[in-house]
């Protein structure tokens, strides 16, 4: 009788352990499959100029862009354009305002993203500063709370301050990091040097297309000149790094 009871209890412990294992393991199996099947990057990137006078922005977007505008122009930046990116990633739409500071050779973007999920729409916003150097070094500083999906390229330094809402202070930190990490090379403003001030072409070719096609060499993406998709390795890494405990460790 006692032996039967012990055997009965042990079997239920095994079943319970299996249920717990499947519960926690399922996301690690399903997530890479979902990423591999659904994530597509369409190239060349579609970038549309938006005139807020002709096409009024949603109120929360307008307020955020207005706040960033006043701080950025006070720090020597000039607004070039407001742009809409409708098709880079499925279910994600982005609005961005693009600035340059020709005295320091910095570019800046204030970004507002709408990620449409099955239950709700998530709004994300951040400001990013970018300084490039003649030796290929790139220093970019932002206050986004989204972790990057891809590994950084050589000589690329990205620093995030997710809790820092003060755009003026963020820019001061960016200037410090650019002086520290840029070495003795000369800052260059690629919008002017390579694209003659055509900021739509710059955003499409440099900020988006170059960044994505560089991930072919890392083994994260593959595909054609019209569309990139994750490799098996890329899908697994991109999915797993967004799950617990990897995401908590990365943060």
């Amino acid at each position: 009788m006692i032996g039967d009871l012990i055997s009965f209890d042990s079997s239920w412990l095994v079943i319970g352990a299996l249920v717990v294992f499947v519960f926690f393991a399922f996301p690690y199996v399903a997530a890479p499959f979902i990423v591999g099947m659904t994530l597509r990057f369409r190239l060349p990137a579609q970038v549309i100029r938006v005139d807020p006078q002709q096409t009024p922005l949603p109120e929360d977007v307008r307020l955020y862009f207005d706040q960033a505008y006043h701080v950025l122009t006070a720090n020597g930046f000039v607004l070039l354009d407001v742009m809409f990116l409708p098709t880079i990633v499925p279910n994600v739409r982005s609005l961005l305002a693009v600035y340059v500071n020709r005295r320091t050779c910095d570019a800046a973007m204030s970004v507002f993203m709408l990620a449409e999920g099955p239950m709700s729409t998530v709004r994300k916003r951040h400001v990013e500063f970018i300084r490039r150097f003649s030796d290929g070094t790139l220093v970019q500083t932002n206050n986004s709370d989204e972790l990057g999906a891809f590994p950084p390229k050589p000589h690329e330094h990205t620093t995030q301050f997710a809790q820092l809402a003060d755009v003026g202070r963020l820019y001061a930190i960016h200037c410090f990091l650019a002086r520290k990490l840029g070495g003795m090379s000369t800052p260059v403003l690629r919008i002017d040097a390579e694209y003659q001030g055509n900021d739509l072409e710059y955003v499409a070719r440099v900020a988006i297309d170059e960044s994505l096609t560089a991930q072919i060499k890392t083994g994260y993406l593959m595909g054609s000149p019209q569309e990139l998709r994750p490799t098996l390795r890329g899908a697994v890494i991109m999915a797993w790094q967004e799950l617990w405990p990897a995401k908590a460790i990365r943060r």
Side-chain angles (χ1 to χ4, degrees), residues 4 36 42 60 99 110 145 147 153 158 176 235-236 244:
D4 293 341
R42 300 181 184 91
D60 53 349
Y99 298 78
S110 57
D145 63 355
L147 300 173
K153 294 182 287 185
T158 301
F176 168 78
V236 169
W244 185 91

Side-chain angles (χ1 to χ4, degrees), residues 167-241:
V167 175
R169 187 180 177 199
L170 183 69
Y171 182 51
I173 295 173
H174 168 74
C175 291
F176 168 78
L177 292 172
R179 290 192 298 269
K180 181 179 180 180
L181 301 172
M184 300 301 294
S185 55
T186 305
V188 293
L189 195 60
R190 289 184 66 183
I191 292 178
D192 291 342
E194 299 178 29
Y195 294 90
Q196 293 74 50
N198 187 336
D199 52 311
L200 270 75
E201 189 75 7
Y202 166 82
V203 169
R205 301 301 177 188
V206 176
I208 301 172
D209 290 7
E210 274 190 18
S211 298
L212 292 174
T213 55
Q215 300 308 322
I216 296 176
K217 293 182 178 180
T218 67
Y220 275 58
L221 297 179
M222 62 181 181
S224 68
Q226 289 75 42
E227 183 180 84
L228 295 176
R229 63 186 185 277
T231 62
L232 175 60
R233 172 174 177 265
V236 169
I237 295 175
M238 284 189 282
W240 284 7
Q241 70 186 5

Side-chain angles (χ1 to χ4, degrees), residues 126-146:
H126 70 270
V127 173
E128 181 166 66
F129 297 99
I130 304 159
R131 190 179 300 183
R132 300 176 185 272
F133 293 86
S134 56
D135 65 354
T137 299
L138 170 66
V139 179
Q140 49 192 16
T141 313
N142 64 60
N143 58 1
S144 172
D145 63 355
E146 288 294 309

Side-chain angles (χ1 to χ4, degrees), residues 3 27 30 43 46 54 74 78 97 105 108 166 176 198 208 215 221 234 245:
L43 300 178
Q46 184 181 12
Q54 300 294 325
V78 176
C105 289
D166 186 334
F176 168 78
N198 187 336
I208 301 172
Q215 300 308 322
L221 297 179

Side-chain angles (χ1 to χ4, degrees), residues 8 21 71 78-80 100 104 118 134 156 173 189 192 237 245:
F8 175 81
F21 174 78
V71 177
V78 176
L79 174 64
L80 298 181
V100 293
T104 61
S134 56
E156 183 176 289
I173 295 173
L189 195 60
D192 291 342
I237 295 175

